[in-house]
Amino acid sequence: RLGSAAVLVHRQVRQRHGMAEFHGAHRRRRCRDQGGSDARHDPHRGALGGRRQSSRAPVPRRTRRRRGQIADLAAAPRLIAGRLPGMKLDARKLYLVGSSMGGTEALLVGLRYPGAYSETVALDPVTDLGFRFNSLPLVRRNQLESECAGPPTLRRSCYVVRSPIAYVGKRALGSAVLNVWWSTTDPVSGAPQQVPRFLAAERGFMQPGQLRERVGAWGHGALWDRADHRAAWLIDLGLVPRGGLPATTDFLTSPSR
């Protein structure tokens, strides 16, 4: 008998460690991030990770899609299975969901580790970090410069590996589904050089059903922060029956590739 679907997300907690929330089998289970994933995000970010290290290991305040973190996120299903051995999961219904920065991380996992989840859902992601850099608040630019040891003009490769646009056309045939949500009124992910450019480039490399695009009009991060908006993608994934939650977000579905 197959197990139930699972949705894995990441959230902040007061102790400044990441907390993985595992949603499945009609219950919610929480697992402390062990410190190795550096899984630190803003409040409406999504994704999770963690290596089996001491919970006392120092965790940086923020990370920007570094390579080790993306590998951790890809390994999360195995990590959860190891910690919850009695939980039966349906491998066909494993979802990684994230918004904004977390959406970028989910997209990177789907591009670099296409077999880790049955579907990765990126809500309002940034797809070109170097292009976005100058529009970030000063405190975030300083954090990125510290992590990359310089701005994009001097440390281009550091920003490239953190940008989904760099992985266009590199997924294996038969890979799992990428599900990208973006807003035409969002100046962050909806900017021409962000999600629209990424999707236009990636469509030509996808097999039928591999790429799903959801387009609407909402504020940046609203699909994660607002319950009535969040219901839209939960229903779209089939995790909640239509009518099971009030959903006020309208969106268009572009033809899947």
Side-chain angles (χ1 to χ4, degrees):
R1 178 175 174 269
L2 291 175
S4 52
V7 180
L8 289 85
V9 302
H10 174 275
R11 58 180 286 191
Q12 285 188 320
V13 290
R14 291 182 180 178
Q15 290 84 352
R16 296 193 176 187
H17 287 265
M19 177 176 284
E21 286 195 358
F22 164 79
H23 298 255
H26 308 292
R27 74 188 77 178
R28 181 168 68 180
R29 301 291 294 272
R30 295 180 176 181
C31 301
R32 287 281 182 196
D33 184 292
Q34 291 293 315
S37 70
D38 302 345
R40 298 295 300 152
H41 310 294
D42 285 346
H44 61 265
R45 311 309 186 212
L48 70 87
R51 292 195 182 115
R52 298 174 184 275
Q53 298 178 3
S54 169
S55 60
R56 296 181 180 178
V59 179
R61 290 192 63 191
R62 188 178 303 276
T63 184
R64 298 280 179 175
R65 298 161 288 274
R66 68 177 179 82
R67 283 183 177 271
Q69 162 127 346
I70 302 307
D72 284 348
L73 302 183
R78 176 175 51 81
L79 174 68
I80 296 297
R83 294 189 180 184
L84 304 173
M87 186 72 69
K88 293 184 178 180
L89 299 177
D90 186 344
R92 301 172 303 172
K93 296 180 180 179
L94 290 176
Y95 305 99
L96 176 64
V97 185
S99 172
S100 190
M101 188 196 308
T104 300
E105 294 183 344
L107 198 52
L108 285 170
V109 171
L111 290 164
R112 294 184 52 212
Y113 300 92
Y117 296 87
S118 52
E119 188 163 347
T120 55
V121 184
L123 312 172
D124 302 332
V126 170
T127 57
D128 188 331
L129 187 58
F131 186 84
R132 171 69 178 153
F133 179 82
N134 288 329
S135 300
L136 290 170
L138 179 60
V139 64
R140 295 191 182 183
R141 292 202 302 271
N142 290 340
Q143 289 164 343
L144 262 177
E145 285 195 28
S146 176
E147 183 174 325
C148 287
T153 52
L154 298 178
R155 303 285 295 176
R156 181 176 178 273
S157 62
C158 182
Y159 295 83
V160 167
V161 298
R162 291 159 168 77
S163 300
I165 192 68
Y167 300 93
V168 165
K170 298 181 180 180
R171 298 179 87 223
L173 295 178
S175 298
V177 175
L178 290 181
N179 190 338
V180 183
W181 293 63
W182 67 282
S183 169
T184 57
T185 59
D186 179 6
V188 179
S189 63
Q193 292 296 320
Q194 297 295 342
V195 173
R197 176 180 170 227
F198 169 80
L199 291 173
E202 186 73 349
R203 284 189 193 104
F205 296 98
M206 291 291 194
Q207 290 181 309
Q210 277 191 308
L211 178 64
R212 296 174 183 167
E213 179 183 356
R214 305 293 187 255
V215 187
W218 52 78
H220 185 75
L223 289 171
W224 190 268
D225 292 335
R226 292 181 50 180
D228 55 344
H229 285 51
R230 189 162 55 243
W233 56 265
L234 288 168
I235 293 170
D236 186 60
L237 285 174
L239 297 174
V240 174
R242 293 192 180 278
L245 288 174
T248 61
T249 300
D250 293 324
F251 60 89
L252 299 176
T253 59
S254 295
S256 298
R257 293 292 301 178

